Amino acid sequence: MNLSICHRLRDFFISTSIIISVVFSTAVFAENSAKLAPDFSLPGVDNSQINLADYRGKVVLVDFWASWCTPCIRSFPWMDEMVEKYGEQGFEIIAINMDQEAILAKKFLTRYPNKLTIAFDPQGVVAEQYEIMGLPNSFILNKQGEIVYKHVGFRLSELDKYEAEILSLLP
């Protein structure tokens, strides 16, 4: 194999591994390089309105999910536990449903009851602003409303890490 082909193959594998590591990385922001989370106002359960600006001063996990997403099903009990554990310390979760048909989300919520703040984004407008790369996709915001951590997927093996990230932002 000639040297130029070897170099091109090496460059291809380096580029591919960089792309894969970005797509599948979990914590992508350090607190000192955080950027302000896109603001949103979405319909919630029982005709309520969920405004991200109302959560300023709290640590917020914004989670994008859908009824058909198996990892989303696994994430709900953990998220519910985190709100129960840290809610009094100023931690909130806004779980944004991506189903285009509201009935699918309602069936899911009946089957998996929780204490989360649920919002609906059936057109994916907010998801597009957050540039989500899969479901579930979550963002942990500090009290200033900046995205500090981003997670694509939900891995049971990383629950301690997720919780430590939350705790690092609480008093």
Side-chain angles (χ1 to χ4, degrees):
M1 193 180 289
N2 81 31
L3 199 53
S4 68
I5 293 173
C6 287
H7 288 303
R8 282 189 292 209
L9 282 172
R10 180 201 63 200
D11 292 344
F12 169 78
F13 286 115
I14 289 171
S15 299
T16 304
S17 65
I18 289 169
I19 291 167
I20 289 170
S21 68
V22 168
V23 169
F24 292 103
S25 71
T26 53
V28 294
F29 300 104
E31 192 165 1
N32 61 0
S33 66
K35 70 174 190 169
L36 196 60
D39 201 13
F40 59 80
S41 181
L42 289 170
V45 177
D46 299 327
N47 297 319
S48 62
Q49 198 66 22
I50 310 302
N51 302 301
L52 182 60
D54 295 342
Y55 293 82
R56 193 64 55 90
K58 297 183 176 200
V59 173
V60 179
L61 186 147
V62 176
D63 181 72
F64 292 87
W65 65 280
S67 63
W68 47 264
C69 167
T70 302
C72 299
I73 294 168
R74 289 194 305 260
S75 72
F76 262 66
W78 177 82
M79 289 191 300
D80 211 33
E81 178 187 335
M82 293 298 101
V83 169
E84 185 72 30
K85 244 174 140 172
Y86 302 114
E88 289 183 15
Q89 295 178 42
F91 176 67
E92 297 277 346
I93 294 179
I94 302 173
I96 301 175
N97 177 263
M98 302 295 302
D99 286 309
Q100 291 181 345
E101 296 177 39
I103 190 72
L104 298 173
K106 290 177 182 173
K107 284 181 181 179
F108 178 98
L109 295 169
T110 300
R111 190 168 181 190
Y112 304 100
N114 61 79
K115 298 174 187 83
L116 308 177
T117 300
I118 305 293
F120 301 97
D121 185 24
Q123 270 36 66
V125 174
V126 175
E128 190 173 306
Q129 292 173 332
Y130 277 76
E131 300 174 355
I132 68 165
M133 295 184 273
L135 294 176
N137 202 160
S138 61
F139 301 82
I140 302 176
L141 285 51
N142 64 17
K143 292 180 181 185
Q144 293 74 41
E146 299 167 322
I147 299 171
V148 180
Y149 300 103
K150 176 181 177 178
H151 299 278
V152 179
F154 181 77
R155 294 166 192 82
L156 295 173
S157 62
E158 296 190 16
L159 296 183
D160 291 339
K161 178 182 177 184
Y162 300 156
E163 188 170 356
E165 290 170 354
I166 294 165
L167 283 170
S168 75
L169 300 172
L170 290 172

